[in-house]
Amino acid sequence: MGKVALVVGATGLVGNELVRILLSAPEYEKVIVWVRTSMDINHNKLEEKIINFRELDKHVIDKSVNHVFCCLGTTMRKAKNMEAFATVDLEYPVVLAKKARERQVSQFLTISAMGADPNSKIFYNRIKGQLEEELKKVGLPGLHIFRPSLLLGKRKEFRLGEKAAGAAYRVLPFIFIGSIKKYKPIHARTVARAMYRVALTEKHGVNIYESNNIAKMT
Ligand SMILES: NC(=O)c1ccc[n+]([C@@H]2O[C@H](COP(=O)([O-])OP(=O)(O)OC[C@H]3O[C@@H](n4cnc5c(N)ncnc54)[C@H](OP(=O)(O)O)[C@@H]3O)[C@@H](O)[C@H]2O)c1
């Protein structure tokens, strides 16, 4: 019997790459996605459920699901305020993790960020740090937290910071040496591939992957 994955945040940069990897992976027989809008992918292994995330709590994870991948996230620009940002980057992933634990899902994988720290003065890092702390309390059998640096990849929308940093990286890749090597941008596909590989290990406990290690995992 193949494995069943649930991907939430499947329409995002990492989520989209991950869904494509899982659909072509022989280890997975089904890939369920909870999305706001259709991914427009036609594949016999894909089961798409369009949901209202404001009612995330009401949705039930199918009993067949072995692995839950959470690739949710927003930006302050989109969320407009801190509360709405925290809803997407903190509240939803924790709700999902609790659902995963109730269903005895063996592996829960999520994306935090480099610099995650619950005591950080930087709001983004603080929310990511709080996310990690809350997830650790859930008591999942296998919790995997990925802390990528800046993500590279083709986005539908324009994000100036990412574009500028991505361009700088392409022109000056050699600057990421020594102590700043860990800040090297990472491709969304690399993060997605690492998530896929890690899930299959069925490793238990809390596991945190820093960006430079994620890059070495694929
Ligand atoms: N960008 C970076 O350089 C970077 C660096 C380190 C860590 N990260 C983290 O990595 C994770 C993945 O990043 P990404 O760039 O792949 O994300 P992304 O492309 O912005 O995609 C985010 C996903 O979350 C969903 N989402 C956003 N707001 C939502 C809402 N209100 N309700 C329901 N779903 C919502 C999006 O759905 P829709 O398509 O429907 O909007 C999409 O599927 C995020 O947690 C991010 O913070 C990013």
Side-chain angles (χ1 to χ4, degrees):
M1 285 281 280
K3 302 215 180 266
V4 178
L6 167 63
V7 184
V8 184
T11 50
L13 193 61
V14 178
N16 199 289
E17 296 281 5
L18 179 63
V19 168
R20 288 168 199 280
I21 291 167
L22 298 178
L23 287 175
S24 59
E27 299 88 353
Y28 288 88
E29 66 175 32
K30 198 199 273 187
V31 180
I32 302 170
V33 294
W34 288 1
V35 287
R36 296 197 286 187
T37 52
S38 176
M39 295 186 77
D40 283 328
I41 297 178
N42 219 337
H43 198 289
N44 58 359
K45 285 206 281 188
L46 185 68
E47 186 180 303
E48 187 176 73
K49 194 167 157 190
I50 299 195
I51 70 161
N52 176 358
F53 279 78
R54 279 187 222 101
E55 297 180 342
L56 183 61
D57 208 28
K58 293 186 185 156
H59 295 277
V60 175
I61 296 180
D62 193 87
K63 276 189 192 136
S64 62
V65 171
N66 308 100
H67 301 160
V68 172
F69 297 88
C70 178
C71 303
L72 287 168
T74 190
T75 58
M76 275 305 279
R77 196 173 174 178
K78 279 191 194 165
K80 309 265 194 280
N81 60 60
M82 289 178 170
E83 197 188 343
F85 183 94
T87 301
V88 179
D89 277 68
L90 175 57
E91 183 190 320
Y92 291 167
V94 174
V95 168
L96 191 64
K98 288 180 178 167
K99 287 182 174 296
R101 191 211 42 213
E102 277 161 25
R103 272 288 186 232
Q104 294 169 338
V105 164
S106 71
Q107 302 285 290
F108 186 91
L109 304 95
T110 195
I111 312 166
S112 173
M114 172 178 273
D117 175 359
N119 301 312
S120 176
K121 290 197 174 77
I122 302 165
F123 175 70
Y124 179 79
N125 291 358
R126 193 163 68 243
I127 289 292
K128 292 297 192 187
Q130 287 172 4
L131 167 71
E132 295 187 4
E133 293 309 304
E134 291 303 315
L135 290 177
K136 286 177 198 165
K137 289 183 205 157
V138 174
L140 292 146
L143 170 62
H144 303 277
I145 296 169
F146 293 77
R147 286 183 179 167
S149 176
L150 182 97
L151 293 173
L152 299 174
K154 271 199 183 149
R155 278 192 195 283
K156 288 177 208 135
E157 85 209 59
F158 180 75
R159 291 189 190 172
L160 180 63
E162 281 183 17
K163 277 273 174 228
Y169 172 62
R170 277 189 294 278
V171 180
L172 307 164
F174 47 83
I175 66 166
F176 293 95
I177 53 165
S179 58
I180 63 161
K181 198 174 171 185
K182 62 182 181 185
Y183 299 107
K184 192 173 162 180
I186 185 164
H187 203 285
R189 195 176 307 129
T190 308
V191 178
R193 212 177 292 136
M195 293 176 87
Y196 155 64
R197 294 227 169 131
V198 163
L200 292 176
T201 64
E202 295 288 349
K203 194 174 170 192
H204 277 197
V206 178
N207 305 275
I208 297 181
Y209 308 95
E210 299 294 347
S211 205
N212 48 348
N213 292 328
I214 299 171
K216 289 181 206 150
M217 287 162 73
T218 59

